[in-house]
Amino acid sequence: MEMQRPCCFGPNTLWVAAFWFHSPRSLSLSLIKRQSPRIHHWNRQFLLLSTMKLESVLQFLENKTILVTGAAGFLAKIFAEKVLRVQPNVKKLYLLLRAADAKSATQRLHTEVFGKDLFRVVKEKHGPNFGSLVSEKVTVVPGDITCEGLGVMDSDLREQMRAQIDVIVNLAATTNFDERYDIALGVNTYGAKYVTDFAKKCPQLMVLLHVSTSYVSGERGGLIKESPYRMGETLNGVSGLDIDAERRIVEEKLDELRREGASEKETRVAMKELGIQRAKIYGWPNTYVFTKAMGEMLVGELKEDLSAVIVRPTIVTSTYKEPFPGWAEGVRTVDSLAVGYATGKLTCFLGDINGVVDTIPADMVVNSMMVAMVAHANRPSADAIYQVGSSARNPIRYSSLQDYGLRYFTQNPWRNKDGKPIKVGKVTVLKSMASFHRYMAIRYLMWLKGLELVNMAFCHTLNDMCNDLNRKIKFVMRLVELYRPYLFFKGIFDDTNTEKLRAAARESGSVETDLFYFDPNSIDWEDYIMNTHMPGIVKYVFK
């Protein structure tokens, strides 16, 4: 099952609530994921990368068979495109897509993967032979990582994969903060287990790379180390976390709902609430990061003598350079702010305007994954964890994003459906939850109370309007409460291990650092935001 929103962020990922209102009747809310970390004890250095001679990444990829899960997701597509573009002599790419059968999986592959503009450069490179390249090098696999054996029903295909696979890249995830608990537990937690189980049955596997999120670390600020999560470990010290028990709790709740004859909507709401409840018991703020943390626990516990690597990206943004600058997909993370602001809907921002936004371009994340694969191929280690972000070495703040957005959309205004340019200006910044509650009370709750009185005087002829406004206000309040822990985040993600990986790549003389770049220090944020990211999301994201 591919990422439904980006790992992101993940979704990877950090939500800062930003809400906009044209009038009380058009109340809406945009969120940008911002997950806050906790401080770990410094983990033992897992590999002496400084003394390791890394081989060429291009040579490593040559004649390799690679399984990619969540193949229709944002990072997975970029990974597959990069492999096909820079190393067409890869032996095989198995792309696992959630689908009922091969026909529907193939249809998804061509519409949701190769049909994207992302592949235009590799298509131009190979011209009319691109179709032949795909036919020869790519095998679409209908499956489901929430099932044993990855849900691959064709036994011959499953055994063929196990016999051939050299590398597994697990990118499947659901990144909704308040996803149904049964879905999130199945994909983010047990999906990691089933991928690891599958990996152990691949006799020539060189490395398993599991993509998580830096935001598994909870709410506390400070420097967040690249440390592992052990089975049963919790953020608040509460004992008793048992992953199998969590699955039983889910099954029992679903049975109870079925016995009560709950509707689909009632079941969905109940499962979302259950996920948040279970996460908060053990110190995690939401279902997404809780289930991703448990997924990491299972990989660490079950890998045995496998070489397994965990990569934790922060907020993933549009491509920096390759295959071309600015490719993005869907309204992801900080892009929600840009969309709301440019269209004139964002008039208010809740959060620390001077806070650091930890973002990293998607192609840098994929490049770090590829270099980590090379570094750890056939080299099992205790805890190979890489946090890939920018806050420790080249931070950008929300105040800078606000400035860049104002300048960009003043110079390049978005036009409404009538073709008229939308003027933008500075937004009101609410610096505390108290100021947010005052803002809501003055602008909306008082208006709602007045509307309810008028509705009573007019024999409830305004019921629909009252109910609609009340529903929207409750929606905003709920989401702000859901993302409250991240609105004023003060954490910085340590990337010492990732920097050692960069240093090893530079010093090796073999790694093609011009192709596999992932140093955030190389990013000029003003130039990237103004000339790459903003034009990219306007082209690929704005609707």
Side-chain angles (χ1 to χ4, degrees), residues 222-393:
L223 187 67
I224 298 93
K225 302 288 189 178
E226 295 162 302
S227 302
Y229 286 89
R230 305 304 183 194
M231 286 293 287
E233 180 180 350
T234 63
L235 297 186
N236 58 8
V238 173
S239 60
L241 175 57
D242 182 317
I243 296 174
D244 287 334
E246 293 300 310
R247 181 157 67 174
R248 289 193 295 272
I249 289 169
V250 165
E251 292 168 349
E252 289 168 2
K253 184 64 175 179
L254 288 171
D255 287 342
E256 176 188 323
L257 291 165
R258 280 191 288 267
R259 287 194 303 271
E260 295 173 350
S263 66
E264 183 178 341
K265 180 180 179 180
E266 289 169 338
T267 300
R268 181 174 67 253
V269 170
M271 295 311 296
K272 285 188 173 187
E273 290 177 351
L274 179 63
I276 296 295
Q277 291 168 5
R278 299 305 300 173
K280 288 185 175 180
I281 286 173
Y282 298 111
W284 278 274
N286 58 64
T287 308
Y288 168 57
V289 292
F290 179 43
T291 53
K292 289 296 285 185
M294 288 190 289
E296 286 195 17
M297 293 177 196
L298 286 171
V299 172
E301 179 74 10
L302 300 175
K303 66 179 182 178
E304 297 176 353
D305 59 351
L306 278 183
S307 178
V309 179
I310 293 175
V311 173
R312 295 174 178 165
T314 56
I315 305 169
V316 183
T317 55
S318 64
T319 53
Y320 181 62
K321 288 196 294 188
E322 292 188 6
F324 51 85
W327 187 76
E329 184 177 54
V331 180
R332 317 177 61 79
T333 60
V334 289
D335 301 338
S336 298
L337 277 181
V339 172
Y341 181 69
T343 54
K345 296 176 181 177
L346 184 84
T347 61
C348 192
F349 174 85
L350 172 62
D352 181 6
I353 197 68
N354 295 313
V356 172
V357 193
D358 198 323
T359 67
I360 191 75
D363 48 337
M364 289 194 176
V365 176
V366 167
N367 290 340
S368 70
M369 291 162 53
M370 291 184 172
V371 176
M373 283 162 37
V374 174
H376 291 275
N378 291 325
R379 295 187 182 103
S381 55
D383 301 306
I385 298 173
Y386 296 100
Q387 291 179 168
V388 184
S390 60
S391 60
R393 299 184 187 275

Side-chain angles (χ1 to χ4, degrees), residues 410-460:
T410 297
Q411 298 167 12
N412 308 277
W414 182 250
R415 295 182 180 273
N416 62 21
K417 61 182 179 181
D418 298 322
K420 295 180 180 179
I422 297 173
K423 293 182 179 180
V424 297
K426 288 194 174 182
V427 299
T428 300
V429 177
L430 302 178
K431 298 180 180 180
S432 68
M433 291 300 295
S435 63
F436 164 70
H437 288 297
R438 286 195 300 270
Y439 181 90
M440 292 295 293
I442 293 170
R443 292 202 54 176
Y444 299 101
L445 295 176
M446 290 176 62
W447 198 91
L448 175 61
K449 294 299 181 185
L451 183 62
E452 288 173 343
L453 291 173
V454 173
N455 185 38
M456 291 175 64
F458 283 86
C459 302
H460 300 280

Side-chain angles (χ1 to χ4, degrees), residues 60-78:
F60 176 81
L61 292 173
E62 187 173 7
N63 204 37
K64 293 297 189 300
T65 297
I66 304 171
L67 167 64
V68 180
T69 68
F74 182 56
L75 286 176
K77 282 196 278 275
I78 295 172

Side-chain angles (χ1 to χ4, degrees), residues 493-535:
F493 290 106
D494 177 51
D495 67 344
T496 298
N497 294 342
T498 307
E499 177 58 23
K500 289 178 179 178
L501 185 66
R502 282 190 285 264
R506 287 191 300 267
E507 295 164 8
S508 69
S510 301
V511 174
E512 301 81 358
T513 53
D514 56 332
L515 279 177
F516 301 98
Y517 52 88
F518 57 105
D519 187 351
N521 280 318
S522 66
I523 303 171
D524 178 328
W525 287 115
E526 181 176 3
D527 178 67
Y528 168 70
I529 298 295
M530 294 287 289
N531 299 316
T532 297
H533 186 67
M534 289 295 191

